[in-house]
Amino acid sequence: MVIKKAELAAVAVRPGGYPKGDMPEIAFAGRSNVGKSSLLNLLTGRKRLAKVSGSPGKTRTINFYCINDAFRIVDLPGYGYAKLARSVTEGWGDMVETYLKSREGLALVVLLADIRHKPSAQDVQLREWLRYYGLRLSVAATKADKIARGAVAAQLGLIRETLGLSEEERIIPVSALKRTGVEELLEAMESALAPR
Ligand code: GDP
């Protein structure tokens, strides 16, 4: 798949603000600072489509981008930023769960996890929701350039085990810095969008 066109379609807090019209969607989720904006910009070839955070965790909206006039990429709000007020972080769960359970066209959720760390409690929570709602999951292990090649397999194993991934749930090491893993991720997206 080649992304030729990417346009902001909606910025929403509640379902009333989600874009209308049944187009399949692929949602991206992960904790603040995991590298989600950098990866979305790389995937879409747009330098400033999603804002790379100077102040992590400020954006509490769901951003919908229309891709190739064919599907949407959905940027879910980042979570787990310690310095954020409780009142703001509490809203995260409602906002994300409401989105996950109400979107019929949701073809895939890409969960981003920093390749250096064990997934957090909120990553596991997200994974539980996906299982509960029967949603398809791929994991992108971000910032793969930050660890030695020899350490990759062990870290992927830790992520796989902590999230309890099944055999068919893919985990793809990516680096926005080195521009690696993009092809594999686009393939996973394409196969999720293909009619089954
Ligand atoms: P977001 O909060 O998840 O949207 O994360 P950002 O895309 O804003 O990135 C957070 C920080 O990690 C920024 O300082 C980025 O430059 C850095 N970063 C993002 N992706 C990579 C990567 O693949 N490799 C390295 N080394 N740094 C990255």
Side-chain angles (χ1 to χ4, degrees):
M1 175 163 62
V2 180
I3 293 184
K4 294 186 190 136
K5 194 172 164 190
E7 300 170 321
L8 184 66
V11 175
V13 181
R14 279 174 285 278
Y18 298 170
K20 311 275 180 291
D22 52 349
M23 222 179 227
E25 292 182 346
I26 298 180
F28 286 73
R31 55 188 310 174
S32 299
N33 222 35
V34 72
K36 180 154 55 64
S37 306
S38 304
L39 185 63
L40 289 178
N41 291 342
L42 179 63
L43 276 179
T44 57
R46 295 262 310 264
K47 272 196 185 130
R48 277 178 292 276
L49 188 78
K51 209 166 160 198
V52 174
S53 39
S55 50
K58 279 257 170 79
T59 40
R60 296 285 122 179
T61 55
I62 302 180
N63 298 344
F64 296 80
Y65 301 97
C66 184
I67 307 297
N68 296 350
D69 298 316
F71 70 98
R72 295 188 198 103
I73 282 181
V74 182
D75 185 3
L76 295 173
Y79 45 86
Y81 186 60
K83 283 185 190 156
L84 223 73
R86 282 264 315 267
S87 57
V88 181
T89 52
E90 275 167 6
W92 172 83
D94 273 353
M95 201 193 272
V96 171
E97 193 181 5
T98 300
Y99 169 79
L100 294 175
K101 70 180 178 199
S102 63
R103 259 345 225 177
E104 277 184 15
L106 185 53
L108 177 70
V109 176
V110 179
L111 171 59
L112 279 66
D114 190 314
I115 200 163
R116 296 168 298 172
H117 308 304
K118 186 175 168 172
S120 72
Q122 275 167 304
D123 294 326
V124 174
Q125 166 75 81
L126 191 92
R127 195 272 176 283
E128 293 303 322
W129 283 334
L130 300 182
R131 186 171 279 149
Y132 184 76
Y133 294 115
L135 296 165
R136 187 160 163 173
L137 168 70
S138 285
V139 175
T142 62
K143 309 192 185 182
D145 57 279
K146 292 230 188 199
I147 61 170
R149 265 200 200 155
V152 169
Q155 287 308 110
L156 297 187
L158 176 68
I159 293 171
R160 180 170 283 286
E161 191 189 344
T162 310
L163 294 174
L165 299 183
S166 66
E167 290 279 309
E168 65 271 17
E169 286 171 323
R170 291 187 64 185
I171 166 161
I172 304 162
V174 297
S175 165
L177 190 77
K178 300 278 186 206
R179 303 171 167 265
T180 53
V182 177
E183 285 305 316
E184 291 84 348
L185 186 53
L186 285 169
E187 266 170 38
M189 291 166 63
E190 192 164 19
S191 103
L193 291 170
R196 274 183 286 171

